[in-house]
């Protein structure tokens, strides 16, 4: 079963997005069009704008989204012109060409398709019906629309989302063209508008010279201005300015886009978790904000998490409630640093210790087993060096997840192989739960199960063959060190010589 970045982020957000079992039955009058590989192209080519959800029947996130998606479809079907919502069962094998085409790695994945299929963008908007409707109405129209009055401005700028407004003396010229190009590029992520009158905008008293771009946000300083009109520079400004100095990880739906951005951005991640009902919560918020301002130039992003909401993150990182309040830093090499039972006045000094290189990395690991005498050895984070890197042996290692069906099917095969090879002391068959132990950077685990062979001469090979006892055993024999000696063979000439010699020997015996 493949995993990817987006599913991992959804795993971190699981307690925010995943509900208990929801019964979602097809209604006779459903406004959502059902597509599959046989009718997909025909339907898409009939529409200049259509939204397609790729779902799986077993997916909890899909079950939660289904009634909201249906409500939105009912409303949008009455829009002028109608906005069409459709869905594809990505779990159906016959639809695999579609999931491959749109690079679907997790469910649900929503794709906005424009111009009869020529342009595709991933949907990144809300998951509630009202939010879906509002978001898609703006997406179906022009990438940026004109603000002519204060009422227009109020419809664009609100206290829940980010909006970007370009202020120009004329709606023409290089700067305006660059702005509209950017709006088209980022329209699925942000709301864009343009105006000739800066005074009708919130915070309208501005000494900034026209043209300029104003980014409105419901956090920190509430708006940021920018005057560089190269598309790449504008995009970098927007990405940096659209994440709060301290992202809040809680159940508030409006925070969801910022949480996603936090986990997807390449910055060093400083994550602080404490109960939001703590009598010290305001002190923690104050100290985190001070640290975020002080270390902004160091490319460190900050997050404040409510442990009740972020249990997915706790499980993913191997954290425990008894460590609260806790602070964790994850750097760009995937190393993690952990401080437990933190006080507010320790935050800034602890970050300084990280930057000075005085902190010891934290490794997520299960306890080392007290006994490990079964044919398949158990490897954990703390024993990885001993069992793999420093063992001096040939190690076939399975990275698995306890919930993975394919891993469970593989178990008896590995058991059979381990028993068959147990007399070869140069070979170890082992497994590691990759959900409860940190996987070293040298091993890329993008799906479960993943099999690696680490040879005695420290060469690393990933197994990509058929999952059978024979193919895995042959893979081990091919890559083990030293190689298995081939049985001696006798050439045809050598055989004739030996036969003649034997015949001569027999003649001599007879003569004697």
């Amino acid at each position: 079963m493949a995993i990817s970045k987006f599913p991992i982020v959804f795993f971190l957000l699981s307690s925010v997005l995943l509900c208990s079992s929801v019964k979602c039955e097809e209604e006779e009058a459903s406004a959502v069009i059902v597509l599959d590989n046989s009718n997909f192209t025909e339907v898409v080519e009939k529409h200049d704008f259509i939204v397609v959800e790729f779902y799986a029947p077993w997916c909890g996130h899909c079950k939660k989204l289904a009634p909201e998606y249906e409500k939105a479809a009912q409303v949008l079907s009455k829009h002028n012109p109608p906005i069409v919502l459709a869905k594809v069962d990505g779990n159906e094998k016959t639809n695999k060409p579609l999931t491959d085409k749109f690079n679907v790695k997790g469910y649900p994945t929503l794709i906005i398709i424009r111009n009869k299929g020529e342009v595709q963008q991933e949907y990144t908007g809300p998951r509630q019906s009202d939010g879906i409707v509002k978001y898609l109405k703006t997406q179906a129209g022009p990438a940026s629309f004109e603000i002519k009055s204060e009422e227009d401005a109020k419809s664009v700028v609100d206290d829940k989302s980010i909006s970007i407004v370009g202020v120009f003396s004329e709606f023409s010229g290089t700067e305006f063209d660059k702005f509209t190009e950017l709006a088209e590029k980022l329209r699925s992520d942000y709301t864009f508008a343009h105006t000739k009158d800066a005074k009708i905008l919130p915070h309208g008293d501005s000494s900034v010279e026209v043209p300029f771009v104003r980014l409105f946000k419901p956090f920190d300083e509430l708006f940021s201005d920018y005057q560089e009109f190269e598309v790449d520079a504008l995009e970098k400004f927007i990405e940096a300015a659209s994440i709060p100095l301290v992202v809040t990880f809680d159940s508030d739906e409006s925070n969801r886009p910022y949480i996603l951005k936090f986990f997807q951005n390449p910055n060093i991640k400083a994550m602080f978790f404490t109960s939001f009902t703590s009598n010290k919560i305001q002190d923690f918020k104050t100290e985190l904000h001070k640290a975020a301002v002080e270390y902004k130039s160091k490319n460190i992003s900050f997050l404040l998490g409510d442990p009740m909401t972020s249990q997915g993150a706790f499980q993913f990182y191997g954290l425990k409630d008894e460590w609260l309040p806790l602070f964790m830093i994850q750097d760009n090499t995937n190393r993690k640093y952990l401080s437990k039972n933190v006080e507010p006045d320790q935050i800034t000094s602890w970050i300084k210790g990280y930057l000075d290189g005085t902190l010891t990395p934290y490794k997520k690991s299960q306890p080392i087993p007290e006994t490990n005498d079964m044919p398949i050895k158990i490897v954990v984070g703390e024993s990885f060096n001993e069992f793999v890197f420093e063992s001096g042996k040939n190690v076939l290692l399975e990275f698995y997840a306890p919930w993975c069906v394919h891993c469970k099917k593989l178990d008896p095969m590995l058991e059979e192989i381990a028993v068959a090879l147990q007399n070869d002391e140069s070979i170890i068959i082992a497994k590691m739960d990759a959900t409860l132990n940190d996987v070293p950077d040298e091993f890329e685990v993008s799906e479960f199960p993943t099999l690696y062979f680490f040879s005695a001469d420290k060469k690393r090979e990933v197994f990509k063959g058929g999952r059978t006892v024979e193919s895995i055993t042959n893979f081990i024999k091919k890559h083990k060190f030293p190689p298995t000696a081939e049985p001696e063979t006798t050439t045809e000439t050598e055989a004739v010589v030996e036969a003649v010699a034997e015949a001569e020997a027999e003649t001599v015996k007879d003569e004697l």
Side-chain angles (χ1 to χ4, degrees):
M1 177 177 180
I3 57 174
S4 68
K5 267 189 174 183
F6 256 86
I8 286 178
V9 173
F10 280 119
F11 174 71
L12 294 173
L13 294 170
S14 60
S15 53
V16 180
L17 303 176
L18 182 59
C19 61
S20 58
S21 178
V22 179
K23 189 175 182 181
C24 304
E25 298 180 351
E26 291 283 338
E27 295 182 7
E28 291 184 7
S30 174
V32 178
I33 298 176
V34 178
L35 300 179
D36 57 32
N37 196 44
S38 66
N39 67 352
F40 188 91
T41 301
E42 178 187 355
V43 173
V44 166
E45 288 180 350
K46 292 179 180 178
H47 299 91
D48 289 323
F49 185 92
I50 185 171
V51 182
V52 180
E53 176 204 5
F54 289 90
Y55 74 96
W58 45 260
C59 166
H61 302 298
C62 303
K63 291 177 182 179
K64 182 178 181 182
L65 176 62
E68 301 296 327
Y69 197 61
E70 177 62 39
K71 288 179 194 174
Q74 294 281 357
V75 174
L76 292 170
S77 66
K78 299 177 177 64
H79 185 265
N80 186 20
I83 296 174
V84 178
L85 271 57
K87 64 181 180 180
V88 173
D89 183 350
N91 200 52
E92 180 62 47
K93 290 183 180 179
T94 56
N95 292 329
K96 190 174 187 303
L98 294 176
T99 58
D100 289 345
K101 177 180 178 180
F102 291 95
N103 195 31
V104 176
K105 298 295 186 183
Y107 299 111
T109 292
L110 283 78
I111 305 292
I112 295 173
I113 303 175
R114 306 175 191 274
N115 302 339
K116 304 183 186 302
E118 293 183 7
V119 179
Q120 300 99 33
Q121 290 177 310
E122 187 165 353
Y123 173 96
T124 57
R127 300 295 174 104
Q128 303 295 324
S129 59
D130 291 346
I132 294 171
V133 169
K134 180 180 178 181
Y135 181 84
L136 290 180
K137 281 182 177 180
T138 61
Q139 291 298 307
S144 177
F145 63 93
E146 184 180 358
I147 295 177
K148 298 179 180 179
S149 65
E150 290 186 4
E151 287 301 313
D152 289 344
K154 289 177 182 177
S155 70
V156 174
V157 181
D158 58 40
D159 59 357
K160 292 286 186 182
S161 60
I162 291 171
S163 52
I164 299 154
V165 180
V167 182
F168 304 90
S169 57
E170 297 293 336
F171 297 145
S172 61
T174 302
E175 288 89 354
F176 183 73
D177 290 343
K178 294 288 186 183
F179 179 79
T180 54
E181 179 184 343
L182 178 75
E184 191 64 52
K185 182 178 182 181
L186 300 182
R187 63 181 298 162
S188 64
D189 298 319
Y190 306 99
T191 299
F192 284 85
H194 52 273
T195 187
K196 293 180 181 178
D197 187 358
K199 293 180 180 178
I200 62 178
L201 299 177
H203 319 292
D205 294 333
S206 173
S207 59
V208 182
E209 185 178 349
V210 174
F212 67 92
V213 172
R214 176 163 291 176
L215 183 147
F216 295 95
K217 49 189 174 180
F219 50 80
D220 298 338
E221 68 274 30
L222 299 182
F223 74 96
S224 298
D225 291 335
Y226 196 69
Q227 291 183 285
E228 172 61 62
F229 277 87
E230 287 302 320
V231 173
D232 288 346
L234 267 171
E235 188 171 357
K236 288 178 181 177
F237 156 71
I238 291 170
E239 286 302 306
S242 61
I243 302 179
L245 280 171
V246 180
V247 173
T248 301
F249 193 162
D250 60 8
S251 58
D252 187 343
E253 180 72 14
S254 65
N255 284 328
R256 179 178 171 274
Y258 312 128
I259 302 169
L260 290 172
K261 283 178 176 291
F262 175 87
F263 285 108
Q264 291 166 358
N265 80 52
N267 284 357
I268 298 164
K269 295 172 178 59
M271 296 171 275
F272 183 79
F273 297 94
T274 189
S275 170
F276 280 21
T277 60
S278 166
N279 57 7
K280 296 181 180 179
I281 187 64
Q282 195 55 51
D283 292 336
F284 282 125
K285 286 182 177 180
T286 299
E287 292 300 319
L288 275 173
H289 193 271
K290 283 169 54 180
V293 171
E294 182 174 351
Y295 294 108
K296 185 176 181 179
S297 63
K298 301 294 184 181
N299 295 323
I300 301 177
S301 296
F302 286 78
L303 177 141
L304 173 63
D306 171 15
M308 294 296 293
T309 303
S310 53
Q311 281 303 303
F314 264 52
Q315 185 179 350
F316 182 76
Y317 288 114
L319 308 177
K320 298 179 181 179
D321 288 341
E322 57 263 33
W323 297 348
L324 295 170
L326 68 86
F327 202 174
M328 187 174 76
I329 288 178
Q330 180 179 7
D331 67 17
N332 294 327
T333 66
N334 211 32
R335 288 191 183 91
K336 303 173 188 69
Y337 302 83
L338 185 68
S339 182
K340 306 172 186 177
N341 307 124
V342 179
E343 292 294 331
D345 59 1
Q346 296 174 320
I347 290 175
T348 300
S349 61
W350 193 71
I351 297 172
K352 185 177 184 302
Y354 161 74
L355 293 171
D356 291 342
T358 60
L359 302 184
T360 301
Y362 158 74
K363 184 180 292 184
K364 181 173 69 172
S365 176
Q366 292 175 287
I368 296 176
E370 293 183 7
T371 59
N372 207 357
D373 54 6
M374 300 301 288
I376 299 179
K377 307 305 178 187
I378 302 300
V379 177
V380 299
E382 292 293 345
S383 66
F384 200 95
N385 284 342
E386 176 189 351
F387 259 99
V388 182
F389 291 133
E390 300 169 2
S391 69
K393 297 189 178 183
N394 300 284
V395 183
L396 179 78
L397 179 61
E398 177 202 12
F399 295 98
Y400 75 96
W403 41 259
C404 170
V405 175
H406 302 293
C407 303
K408 292 174 182 177
K409 289 181 179 178
L410 184 62
D411 277 346
M413 299 182 203
L414 293 182
E415 184 80 19
E416 183 177 339
I417 294 168
V419 171
L421 298 177
Q422 61 185 348
N423 291 329
D424 187 339
E425 295 184 356
S426 73
I427 296 175
I428 296 175
I429 309 297
K431 62 193 296 186
M432 186 173 93
D433 183 343
T435 70
L436 296 179
N437 300 277
D438 277 337
V439 177
D441 293 338
E442 292 87 346
F443 297 84
E444 182 180 347
V445 178
S446 59
E447 64 180 13
F448 295 127
T450 292
L451 285 171
Y452 268 96
F453 190 77
F454 192 82
S455 63
D457 59 342
K458 302 187 182 303
K459 292 180 180 177
R460 188 175 61 255
E461 296 285 343
V462 64
F463 174 75
K464 295 182 179 179
R467 289 175 187 157
T468 65
V469 170
E470 182 181 7
S471 60
I472 296 172
T473 302
N474 289 338
F475 177 79
I476 292 171
K477 290 179 178 178
K478 177 181 177 181
H479 294 285
K480 69 171 289 193
F481 181 85
T484 303
E486 295 292 335
E488 293 184 6
T489 58
T490 304
T491 65
E492 185 176 348
T493 303
E494 290 171 336
V496 171
V497 171
E498 288 178 5
V500 171
E502 288 176 4
E504 290 176 348
E506 288 298 322
T507 302
V508 171
K509 281 172 64 179
D510 291 344
E511 290 176 350
L512 290 173

